[in-house]
Amino acid sequence: FPQAEDLYLAFPLAFCIFMIRLLFERFIAKPCALGLKVQANGPQKAQPNAILEKVFTAITKHPDEKRLDGLSKQLDWDVRSIQRWFRQRRNQEKPSTLTKFCESMWRFTFYLYIFTYGVRFLKKTPWLWNTRQCWNGYPYQPLMPDLHYYYIVELSFYWSLMFSQFIDIKRKDFGIMFTHHIVTVTLITFSYVTNLTRVGTLTLCLHDAADVVLEAAKMANYCKCQKLSDLLFLTFAIVFIVSRLGIYPLWILNTTLFELYEALGNFPALWVFNVLLVILQILHCFWSYLIIKAAYKAISKGKVAKDDRSDIESSSDEEETVPRSKSPHSTVTTNGTSGANGTNGYLTGGTSSEEH
């Protein structure tokens, strides 16, 4: 029978997984990325400008129209050039494509390993083909060594994700992902302590399937393999929607909401467990909306559009990187500093790429 004390193993193992990740990204993922000619440079940096830098660091990173007009008069720049400077300044703190590739390669490797392990383990179990077997003999079900290993490794990995999320690449759904990690850790812990591990293994394996394809699609995107990236993304969309909106409610929720109640009756752990599973389903619906929207753009435009979770800002005027002075003959800023060398000079540089 599972012992709550066993969960303490997850904390040192989570630290070990994090250290393995650092070594993997540096000595395996990075050489692979460089071999695939993944761009090592980060987003284009904004030209140093004392006035704009002060506004950016001390006042706001997203100036409103009134402030943009004031800065435009002060610097004798047009508003679009100032907007572009702030966009570049926000982006320059973002990670490089190389960093993102290494992170995705680590996650792809782990998800592929744990998904393969889960499939190999579950195909030998009777509850994979008959979910009513999840409750046969409950709660006196033996804790098999393979199941114990599977649970502890998955829990440790999600603990490592919870901590590393604050130093990883920040995306627009940071709050939703953090909520997902909390729900996942709570679900794994609660199901382990209450010995609801059989249905827990089904849930874990089902969720890992789509994550493998997602990380593969990201890597293809960072390598600029556009057709492969599009194909993998559409494959991910299909796998995600089928598994999270189809199999999950019809297979997992059906057995925990109805078959479990029929087999064992009503008890407090049943309701706590099902509430957590339903919260997870709500998150599935949110992500499915984003995926369907991106897939629709992919089909309608012939390519996958910019990811809504993208951590890089972009716009249609990004190719215009040299700001235009309101006075076409002016080559000196309002403080008399040369545009080429002064801190308030004109912006220079090449184009800034838009992230897929």
Side-chain angles (χ1 to χ4, degrees):
F1 192 82
Q3 300 294 321
E5 291 79 6
D6 293 345
L7 296 175
Y8 293 130
L9 294 172
F11 294 103
L13 187 55
F15 177 75
C16 291
I17 289 176
F18 180 72
M19 296 305 297
I20 292 172
R21 170 192 169 174
L22 296 181
L23 295 174
F24 179 91
E25 289 184 355
R26 181 169 183 177
F27 296 107
I28 298 178
K30 187 175 180 179
C32 290
L34 295 176
L36 294 170
K37 301 187 184 303
V38 175
Q39 183 181 0
N41 298 326
Q44 179 184 357
K45 293 185 177 180
Q47 184 74 14
N49 185 294
I51 296 176
L52 296 180
E53 184 68 26
K54 184 177 180 179
V55 173
F56 183 87
T57 55
I59 302 176
T60 178
K61 296 181 180 181
H62 299 271
D64 55 22
E65 292 184 7
K66 184 177 180 181
R67 191 174 300 279
L68 287 172
D69 290 336
L71 291 170
S72 178
K73 295 176 182 178
Q74 183 178 1
L75 297 174
D76 198 26
W77 289 9
D78 60 47
V79 172
R80 288 183 65 187
S81 300
I82 297 174
Q83 289 175 326
R84 187 180 302 109
W85 188 95
F86 275 93
R87 183 166 53 251
Q88 292 175 342
R89 181 63 180 84
R90 290 191 297 265
N91 282 340
Q92 76 180 46
E93 298 178 354
K94 304 296 173 65
S96 65
T97 304
L98 177 64
T99 301
K100 291 182 286 186
F101 178 92
C102 292
E103 178 185 309
S104 290
M105 186 172 178
W106 157 249
R107 295 195 182 195
F108 169 79
T109 304
F110 178 85
Y111 285 133
L112 182 61
Y113 163 73
I114 203 66
F115 175 69
T116 304
Y117 181 90
V119 170
R120 292 180 61 189
F121 166 70
L122 285 171
K123 71 180 184 180
K124 299 180 293 183
T125 63
W127 60 85
L128 174 64
W129 313 110
N130 181 9
T131 53
R132 291 185 182 273
Q133 290 293 325
C134 291
W135 324 118
N136 187 24
Y138 181 85
Y140 303 104
Q141 296 171 339
L143 180 65
M144 295 176 288
D146 291 346
L147 190 153
H148 179 264
Y149 171 81
Y150 189 29
Y151 246 74
I152 295 300
V153 171
E154 286 273 21
L155 179 60
S156 302
F157 178 71
Y158 280 103
W159 269 119
S160 71
L161 285 184
M162 279 190 63
F163 296 131
S164 65
Q165 190 175 14
F166 295 96
I167 61 174
D168 284 342
I169 299 167
K170 299 295 187 299
R171 292 185 171 89
K172 293 180 180 180
D173 66 346
F174 174 86
I176 298 295
M177 282 301 298
F178 189 67
T179 303
H180 172 268
H181 294 335
I182 292 176
V183 172
T184 302
V185 168
T186 305
L187 261 172
I188 295 175
T189 303
F190 183 82
S191 62
Y192 184 84
V193 172
T194 56
N195 205 20
L196 295 166
T197 51
R198 292 187 176 184
V199 72
T201 56
L202 298 177
T203 307
L204 289 170
C205 190
L206 182 65
H207 281 72
D208 290 335
D211 292 331
V212 174
V213 188
L214 173 62
E215 299 304 331
K218 289 181 181 180
M219 289 192 296
N221 174 46
Y222 300 144
C223 293
K224 297 184 178 180
C225 299
Q226 187 66 44
K227 292 184 178 180
L228 178 60
S229 177
D230 291 351
L231 177 62
L232 287 172
F233 175 78
L234 294 177
T235 302
F236 159 72
I238 294 171
V239 172
F240 186 96
I241 292 171
V242 169
S243 62
R244 308 291 177 93
L245 298 187
I247 299 176
Y248 179 79
L250 296 177
W251 192 37
I252 303 297
L253 291 182
N254 176 67
T255 191
T256 59
L257 287 172
F258 303 108
E259 294 177 354
L260 174 56
Y261 183 80
E262 292 174 5
L264 303 174
N266 188 17
F267 60 101
L270 180 150
W271 298 107
V272 175
F273 190 52
N274 278 309
V275 166
L276 292 172
L277 290 173
V278 170
I279 292 174
L280 201 58
Q281 179 63 13
I282 293 172
L283 295 175
H284 294 164
C285 294
F286 171 77
W287 280 314
S288 296
Y289 163 74
L290 296 180
I291 292 168
I292 292 171
K293 185 170 69 171
Y296 173 77
K297 292 179 181 178
I299 295 172
S300 61
K301 297 183 179 179
K303 63 179 181 178
V304 176
K306 183 176 177 292
D307 186 357
D308 285 336
R309 297 184 59 212
S310 170
D311 44 55
I312 300 295
E313 301 176 57
S314 61
S315 73
S316 59
D317 66 350
E318 196 67 25
E319 69 278 3
E320 301 177 33
T321 56
V322 180
R324 296 172 301 222
S325 171
K326 288 184 177 181
S327 174
H329 301 291
S330 173
T331 57
V332 180
T333 56
T334 54
N335 65 350
T337 308
S338 166
N341 302 313
T343 57
N344 290 324
Y346 295 156
L347 300 177
T348 58
T351 60
S352 175
S353 61
E354 178 179 352
E355 181 183 354
H356 183 279

